[in-house]
Each structure stands twice: as structure tokens, then as C-alpha cells.
Amino acid sequence: TIDFLGKRRVFFAISIVLCLSGFVFMGINHARGIGAMNYSLDFVGGTSTTVTFDKEYTLDEIDSEMIPDLEEITGDVNIQVQIVRDSNQVIFKTQTLGLEEREAFAQYMEDNYGVNPEKDIETNNISSTVSGEMRMDAVIAVVIATICMLLYIWFRFKDIRFATSAVVALVHDVLVVLAFYVIARVSVGSTFIACMLTIVGYSINATIVIFDRIRENMRSMKKTDDLKDVVNASITQTLTRSIYTSFTTFVMVAVLYVMGVTSIKEFALPLIVGIVCGAYSSVCITGPLWYVM
């Protein structure tokens, strides 16, 4: 039997540092003037310009040849580029562009790459109102899912301590993934909501298994048995199952990241972090936290 509870202070300290790191880097990024997070057009609004070229360009070519000039034209130093697979189309996502900036953008493409502004350039604006609603929906979705988890586990185990410790671990996983978004500057768009809800739904699985084993072992406890030993034994008995489940899911998402397009990678990479963090919190955080409570 592994003594997880004996190391609980170390586990808790690591978790607190991981959770707070996101807020620290938010402050650093804001002070640097690059924004707390790397929000996409879905969350902050802006202009999406789709350009159809006469040949296919790579991201390296676009970054080295076009982006420096486009940054001067648009006044945006954080232009996001997305290549449409199996086509010559490239999507440039920038801050909201005025009429003069749009015309300068089209003129640049026509003069340097022979693009026809009327046929080969399509521009769309996303308002800040829509993006504000997206941000609010993301927060509400995570909160509702977390509350539903709390109520279900409370009902399932008939003990608020099981529910509370599980939800604290879920919030921990969400904050760690949020910190990864901040530190790695991963684009925060519509996939952000899907990623967070996936992590909330997946991380609870191993926790439920561990709690169920703790409840079963408590029924067979003797008066001389120590609750600490029962919790350690329960976590140890389910450890192999937790590792195998997380590893197989990790492999699948890793392949998705390697083989996927840009939008899929923006979903898969934070999800990989969430899977690893969820495995850690289920094994090292939830059991010891329930014991402390």
C-alpha cells in the first residue's frame, strides 16, 4: 500500500502553486501589454479575412514574408493565421479593421501576390457583443457543469464531503489548464469551452472509482482499523486502473494533436494537459482531501 496521505501536504502545495501560476502570468501578460490571455476573434471580436492565393503557402512562408508587412498595415502585432487544408486559402484574424486598413490590406495582396480583391478576398467582422456573450457562456457552462457534478456525487454517495472534495479537484484541473492557456499563449476560442467541459467530465471518472472503493472498504472496516490506512489502500487498489485509463486516453489525444489541423491542435494540446492533471488530482488530491475534511 502506498502512503498517499503521508505526502498530502506536498500534493496540496504543488496544486496551489499550479493553480496560482495562471493568475500570476495573467498579471505579467497584462503588464506587458499583450493581454492576459491570447483571445481569438470568438472572444474579443475583430476581423477575419480569407484570402485565396494562386498557390499553397506554408505557415513559415506566411510568417516570414507576409506577417511583418501586414502588422504595419493593420496595426495588429498579434495576427492569427489559419491555413485551410487542401486549398490555397489562408485566413488572417486581426483586430477590427477600418475601411482604409481593409483597402490597404487588399492592395498589398494585389500588388505582391496577384490576388483579385473582388474575387479572392472575403472579409467578415465579429462584434465585441457576440464575443462578450461567448466569454460569459464559457464561464456559465463550466459553473453549471460543476454544480451538477456536486449535486450528483452528493446524491450518489450521500456525503457532502465526497462531493466537495471531488468538485475542488475539478476546479483545480480547470485552473491548471487555464494556466496552461495563459503561459503557452494558446488561442482561446470556441474550442476553449469544449476543452474545459471535456476535462470536467473526464476527470471525475477516476475520482468516482476511488470514492466507490473507499466506501466499499469502509463497510468492511473493523474497529481497530485506521481510516488513513483504508484510504491509502483504496487509492492503491485503483491506481493501476487510473493509470491505464488515463494513458490510453492520452495516447489517443496525442495522436489527434500530431495528425490534426491547427484548430484540432488548439483543442488537443490543452486536453492533454487536462488528462495528465486530472489523473494527478484524482489519485493525489481527492482521497487525501476527503480524509482531511
Side-chain angles (χ1 to χ4, degrees):
T1 301
I2 303 173
D3 185 14
F4 289 96
L5 268 62
K7 303 178 180 64
R8 62 181 181 274
R9 293 183 179 178
V10 176
F11 295 148
F12 293 163
I14 293 174
S15 297
I16 292 173
V17 171
L18 290 175
C19 292
L20 294 179
S21 62
F23 297 103
V24 173
F25 276 90
M26 279 185 180
I28 294 174
N29 291 340
H30 182 74
R32 292 171 58 193
I34 60 176
M37 301 182 72
N38 183 23
Y39 292 112
S40 70
L41 266 68
D42 296 335
F43 274 52
V44 296
T47 300
S48 174
T49 306
T50 304
V51 181
T52 304
F53 294 95
D54 57 358
K55 68 173 186 177
E56 189 173 348
Y57 287 93
T58 65
L59 282 175
D60 291 336
E61 291 174 335
I62 296 171
D63 288 338
S64 61
E65 298 175 12
M66 303 181 193
I67 294 302
D69 296 328
L70 293 177
E71 287 178 348
E72 295 182 7
I73 293 173
T74 62
D76 187 354
V77 296
N78 189 29
I79 298 177
Q80 300 175 21
V81 180
Q82 181 178 347
I83 294 176
V84 180
R85 195 169 185 177
D86 298 327
S87 73
N88 296 336
Q89 290 186 335
V90 179
I91 301 174
F92 298 90
K93 297 180 179 180
T94 63
Q95 61 188 15
T96 303
L97 303 181
L99 179 59
E100 294 182 359
E101 294 164 332
R102 289 188 184 189
E103 291 177 346
F105 186 103
Q107 191 64 46
Y108 170 81
M109 290 297 175
E110 183 179 10
D111 295 342
N112 294 274
Y113 299 97
V115 175
N116 187 331
E118 296 181 358
K119 296 181 179 180
D120 300 329
I121 297 180
E122 180 182 350
T123 304
N124 296 298
N125 275 349
I126 299 177
S127 69
S128 57
T129 302
V130 174
S131 61
E133 292 176 355
M134 285 283 288
R135 287 198 301 269
M136 183 58 65
D137 287 346
V139 174
I140 293 175
V142 174
V143 170
I144 291 176
T146 304
I147 293 175
C148 289
M149 291 287 185
L150 174 66
L151 296 175
Y152 166 74
I153 299 173
W154 187 3
F155 174 78
R156 178 74 174 79
F157 289 93
K158 299 179 176 61
D159 188 342
I160 189 63
R161 291 170 296 182
F162 279 117
T164 306
S165 56
V167 168
V168 169
L170 289 180
V171 173
H172 161 270
D173 297 342
V174 169
L175 290 178
V176 172
V177 175
L178 183 68
F180 177 76
Y181 269 99
V182 174
I183 297 171
R185 301 296 292 174
V186 177
S187 178
V188 178
S190 56
T191 57
F192 172 80
I193 304 175
C195 181
M196 287 301 184
L197 292 179
T198 302
I199 290 168
V200 169
Y202 181 81
S203 295
I204 200 69
N205 288 334
T207 300
I208 292 294
V209 172
I210 293 173
F211 282 170
D212 196 54
R213 184 59 59 89
I214 291 176
R215 184 176 59 175
E216 289 179 1
N217 290 338
M218 286 179 61
R219 291 172 179 171
S220 58
M221 277 184 62
K222 299 178 181 178
K223 294 183 179 181
T224 56
D225 291 339
D226 189 352
L227 182 59
K228 179 178 179 180
D229 295 333
V230 172
V231 175
N232 278 328
S234 301
I235 300 174
T236 304
Q237 291 165 5
T238 57
L239 181 61
T240 303
R241 180 265 179 202
S242 300
I243 293 176
Y244 286 172
T245 304
S246 298
F247 178 73
T248 51
T249 310
F250 174 88
V251 170
M252 180 276 295
V253 179
V255 172
L256 194 65
Y257 173 77
V258 173
M259 304 296 292
V261 296
T262 303
S263 58
I264 295 297
K265 290 183 178 182
E266 290 177 354
F267 171 75
L269 186 57
L271 195 57
I272 290 174
V273 176
I275 290 171
V276 175
C277 178
Y280 165 77
S281 64
S282 296
V283 174
C284 301
I285 300 299
T286 52
L289 184 59
W290 174 82
Y291 173 80
V292 170
M293 294 176 65

